[in-house]
Amino acid sequence: MNATLRPAIFVVIVLAVAAVMALLPLVLPPFYVRVGQLMIYSAGLAVAWTILGGFAGYASFGHSAFIGVGAFAAGLVEERLSGLPAPLLLPVGLVVGGLACAVLSAVVAYPILRLRGTFFAIAMLGVCHVCAELNNNIDVLQGSLGLNFPAITPSGWDPATFFYELYLVAGVVVLLIAWAIQRSRFGAGLLSIREDEDTARMLGVPTERYKRQAFVISAVLTGLLGVIYAHSLGYITTDSVYRDDTNLNLIVYSLLGGLGTLFGPVIGAFMLVFITQVVLARLLDFHLFATGLLLVVLVLAAPGGVLGFVKSWRMRRRAAMPAPAE
């Protein structure tokens, strides 16, 4: 295959798959359309997280901070601009939510990215909880009272289908951005940071700048998805967006699919959402135990995730093939 065609072919394949997925609400029952929403939303968040946690190796335990900041910033501005036509409210909210996350992540990046490993992960969890407490205790932010979002669904559209398509567009954009980063010089620098940050710095990689850029990009993409999520809920409080289970799930999605890969988080998100929302949906009293047990089994059986398991299986298969006769 011509190397110059590979990016174009990749984009065409992604868009073709997205086009097929866009038609699914026409044939799926309403319940599965909502499950599809959650799958795509979770996959988009996981890919945004992996730009920092997978590519650079800085695993964040507090990424739902950016979901909350993006959602509340957008909601507060849209509330004051409620006279605008409905089609303009979401773009305004996306711009405001993205800028709020960019500012927060740029400010936090300088002190927090000096930490590594577990210290960075715990510090990010602290950032999330601090943001949640500020939202709850500062009256103007309306975190404790809650915030209503204006309806943006076009007339004649089913809201579940509309937000499914919206999540799909956002998810494709996030995936393509992450793919472009992965195959760029910037992505190679992030990989070198993940493997050995000190050596990368000695070899001339601008590690501090690359880490800050990855942090801000990951935060902004997460915040944009948070704005769409808030609109799909219609009403949010602090507890509905600053969620510790989301912080945990973003890590689990990558571990299940393959940490540090592009499609691993997508596979992990689709798997876990389907298992919890469809397979175990009726086991409410047994739900958490069954989910935890299943995760332990999957991680033990495939410590490199699904993609790692497939890769090792293919390598074993090739090694077992007889050598060609001379």
Side-chain angles (χ1 to χ4, degrees):
M1 183 186 298
N2 192 329
T4 59
L5 295 179
R6 287 176 184 170
I9 291 175
F10 177 86
V11 172
V12 168
I13 291 173
V14 169
L15 293 179
V17 172
V20 173
M21 293 179 64
L23 298 175
L24 292 180
L26 299 177
V27 297
L28 290 177
F31 170 75
Y32 286 99
V33 174
R34 288 191 290 272
V35 172
Q37 281 186 27
L38 185 57
M39 283 182 170
I40 298 169
Y41 168 66
S42 300
L45 288 178
V47 173
W49 180 93
T50 211
I51 293 173
L52 179 69
F55 295 171
Y58 274 72
S60 167
F61 279 15
H63 245 49
S64 68
F66 303 117
I67 300 175
V69 168
F72 270 96
L76 291 170
V77 171
E78 289 182 37
E79 186 178 53
R80 286 159 177 75
L81 300 176
S82 57
L84 286 176
L88 295 179
L89 287 174
L90 179 61
V92 169
L94 290 173
V95 171
V96 172
L99 285 175
C101 290
V103 171
L104 173 64
S105 58
V107 171
V108 169
Y110 283 96
I112 205 169
L113 286 174
R114 297 178 182 276
L115 305 173
R116 299 186 189 179
T118 305
F119 298 103
F120 171 79
I122 299 301
M124 277 302 302
L125 181 61
V127 169
C128 178
H129 284 196
V130 167
C131 289
E133 287 302 314
L134 290 174
N135 244 124
N136 258 338
N137 293 291
I138 298 178
D139 293 340
V140 71
L141 298 180
Q142 302 183 38
S144 57
L145 295 176
L147 197 60
N148 285 300
F149 279 75
I152 60 170
T153 304
S155 60
W157 276 66
D158 173 55
T161 301
F162 173 73
F163 282 105
Y164 174 93
E165 305 293 355
L166 200 55
Y167 279 130
L168 184 59
V169 171
V172 169
V173 171
V174 171
L175 181 66
L176 291 177
I177 290 173
W179 168 74
I181 290 173
Q182 187 185 46
R183 64 188 303 274
S184 67
R185 183 176 181 179
F186 174 39
L190 295 179
L191 177 60
S192 68
I193 292 171
R194 185 184 73 191
E195 297 302 319
D196 192 332
E197 184 173 344
D198 295 325
T199 302
R201 184 184 297 109
M202 287 190 294
L203 293 175
V205 177
T207 55
E208 296 302 320
R209 175 161 60 88
Y210 278 3
K211 288 190 300 182
R212 289 196 298 269
Q213 289 174 348
F215 189 61
V216 172
I217 292 171
S218 178
V220 170
L221 294 177
T222 302
L224 295 179
L225 288 164
V227 174
I228 299 174
Y229 176 67
H231 273 283
S232 69
L233 293 179
Y235 171 80
I236 62 170
T237 62
T238 299
D239 293 338
S240 60
V241 286
Y242 294 98
R243 297 177 55 170
D244 283 336
D245 60 333
T246 301
N247 291 328
L248 177 62
N249 285 340
L250 293 182
I251 301 169
V252 173
Y253 297 149
S254 294
L255 290 175
L256 283 180
L259 186 63
T261 63
L262 181 63
F263 286 102
V266 177
I267 295 171
F270 276 47
M271 282 179 55
L272 190 60
V273 171
F274 181 80
I275 290 169
T276 56
Q277 300 297 316
V278 178
V279 177
L280 300 177
R282 297 182 180 180
L283 303 176
L284 296 180
D285 295 333
F286 192 61
H287 189 282
L288 290 177
F289 175 79
T291 303
L293 180 63
L294 182 61
L295 290 176
V296 170
V297 171
L298 288 174
V299 170
L300 290 177
V306 172
L307 293 183
F309 177 80
V310 172
K311 183 178 179 180
S312 62
W313 174 78
R314 291 177 63 185
M315 292 177 64
R316 289 195 303 269
R317 185 180 178 187
R318 289 177 182 175
M321 293 176 64
E326 295 184 6

